[in-house]
Amino acid sequence: MLQIQQGGWILVFLLLLTLYAAYVFFERFLALRREKVGGERLMREVDAAVRRGQTEVALEAARAHGGTLGRFLLAGLARVPFGVAAVDASLKAALLEEEARLSRGLGVLSVTAQVAPLLGLLGTVSGMIRAFNVLATQGQTTAKLLAGGIGEALFTTAAGLIVAIPALIAYHYLAGRVDDILSELEQRREEFLGILAEVHHGEPQA
């Protein structure tokens, strides 16, 4: 409690920012853990169904799988009757939608990592101004009179870094996870388009 008092309103704001950033991180962490991407079995089912001309079977398999990959393939499978170009356009649009959905909330962590040190610096400047004001108004003074301003400067500087470093780590961790999922979707897109191209050119069906 003494540290909060010494840090002033800036430290209180940093504390609230930390709580919000922590909530966003854990919400996104759990959400990304639930995403189903690695669908080797699903791709085999879709491959076999599409080659047999059973698009509805492939659609049911994608629905049953669910998750990011399931939604992604559903968008493409729904356009199969309209040709490969239509499927490709639908998959590209679906990829952008998934990127936006998966990246939701990451901006909070990025902004926190950038703003927290600046708030700490603002607290430092504010604290030093208070300390020099004491010197200006009191003339000869004691360390006790200066402690409030200097304490605010020190605590807000440290608090800004304590908030920013974990936020930066959390942002890059989640952003890396999103990139992995999107790379997997891009790989599945190429694989699916390859299957359709083979069927379209009349190659032997499985």
Side-chain angles (χ1 to χ4, degrees):
M1 196 68 187
L2 176 61
Q3 287 80 0
I4 293 178
Q5 291 176 351
Q6 286 182 306
W9 67 268
I10 293 178
L11 192 58
V12 174
F13 186 81
L14 282 170
L15 178 61
L16 295 175
L17 188 62
T18 301
L19 294 175
Y20 183 54
Y23 164 77
V24 170
F25 170 74
F26 285 110
E27 188 277 330
R28 288 286 82 203
F29 175 76
L30 295 175
L32 292 175
R33 281 193 63 183
R34 290 192 296 266
E35 292 297 339
K36 297 179 180 178
V37 180
E40 295 292 341
R41 179 179 177 182
L42 174 59
M43 292 306 298
R44 288 195 298 268
E45 293 176 356
V46 169
D47 187 344
V50 169
R51 290 178 188 277
R52 292 194 301 266
Q54 299 174 334
T55 305
E56 284 300 323
V57 174
L59 284 166
E60 285 301 320
R63 290 191 190 99
H65 184 274
T68 300
L69 182 58
R71 290 190 300 269
F72 181 68
L73 289 178
L74 279 172
L77 287 165
R79 306 295 293 175
V80 167
F82 303 98
V84 176
V87 172
D88 190 19
S90 182
L91 290 176
K92 287 179 179 177
L95 188 64
L96 292 176
E97 291 177 4
E98 289 299 322
E99 181 178 7
R101 192 183 63 80
L102 294 169
S103 300
R104 180 173 55 86
L106 295 190
V108 172
L109 296 175
S110 177
V111 170
T112 298
Q114 297 175 58
V115 169
L118 296 178
L119 287 173
L121 180 60
L122 177 61
T124 299
V125 174
S126 174
M128 296 308 297
I129 289 173
R130 285 181 55 192
F132 282 113
N133 281 340
V134 170
L135 285 175
T137 58
Q138 299 293 330
Q140 291 184 344
T141 188
T142 65
K144 184 177 180 180
L145 292 174
L146 294 174
I150 296 175
E152 180 179 337
L154 295 176
F155 281 116
T156 54
T157 300
L161 295 175
I162 290 171
V163 173
I165 293 171
L168 186 62
I169 293 172
Y171 169 77
H172 282 290
Y173 172 79
L174 294 178
R177 175 61 180 150
V178 170
D179 287 342
D180 289 343
I181 293 174
L182 294 176
S183 296
E184 178 77 9
L185 292 182
E186 185 63 39
Q187 178 183 340
R188 298 307 182 189
R189 169 179 165 270
E190 295 294 333
E191 186 177 345
F192 184 46
L193 291 176
I195 294 169
L196 293 179
E198 291 179 8
V199 173
H200 180 73
H201 287 91
E203 293 193 11
Q205 299 182 358

